[in-house]
Amino acid sequence: LFKTGLLEIVEESKSTPVTAIDKEFFDRLIDEFVEVIGPMGPVIIDEKIAALNETQDSFPRNKVADLVEQVSTEIEDEEQRMHFQQIMLDLLRGI
């Protein structure tokens, strides 16, 4: 089939591995969010993670900024939202 041109040899693709975020990040995210939003914070975070088709156990680093943005939309008070985003930005810089 190869000689007749019906099949083609293709090199194995080398995708870059996705780095997952550690549990400490989520612990801090939840703590900061609960402080602003209250006890429903973890439920909201889980919903946002599911909406991104991910889980906490294997949440990719490249989607963290999207998650923080999504979570922060739930904070109605603009000043509190900005403060939360700043804390999360500082945390993201450290990971």
Side-chain angles (χ1 to χ4, degrees):
L1 292 177
F2 172 72
K3 289 181 182 179
T4 62
L6 294 174
L7 288 179
E8 181 179 316
I9 297 175
V10 182
E11 289 186 38
E12 187 177 319
S13 69
K14 297 179 181 179
S15 60
T16 55
V18 176
T19 305
I21 293 299
D22 60 14
K23 183 180 178 333
E24 288 81 26
F25 171 82
F26 282 107
D27 290 345
R28 181 77 186 275
L29 172 67
I30 290 168
D31 288 346
E32 294 295 336
F33 194 58
V34 165
E35 192 172 311
V36 175
I37 211 89
M40 289 299 293
V43 174
I44 294 169
I45 290 172
D46 286 342
E47 288 174 354
K48 299 298 183 180
I49 291 170
L52 291 169
N53 296 317
E54 300 294 344
T55 65
Q56 272 192 39
D57 296 333
S58 61
F59 198 87
R61 182 180 297 247
N62 63 344
K63 289 188 176 182
V64 172
D66 291 337
L67 176 61
V68 170
E69 183 65 31
Q70 290 295 316
V71 167
S72 67
T73 63
E74 298 293 325
I75 303 171
E76 293 181 18
D77 182 89
E78 186 174 345
E79 187 174 316
Q80 287 181 323
R81 184 175 48 248
M82 297 294 284
H83 180 70
F84 173 79
Q85 288 174 334
Q86 185 60 50
I87 291 170
M88 290 297 104
L89 179 61
D90 292 343
L91 184 61
L92 289 172
R93 286 182 180 143
I95 60 172

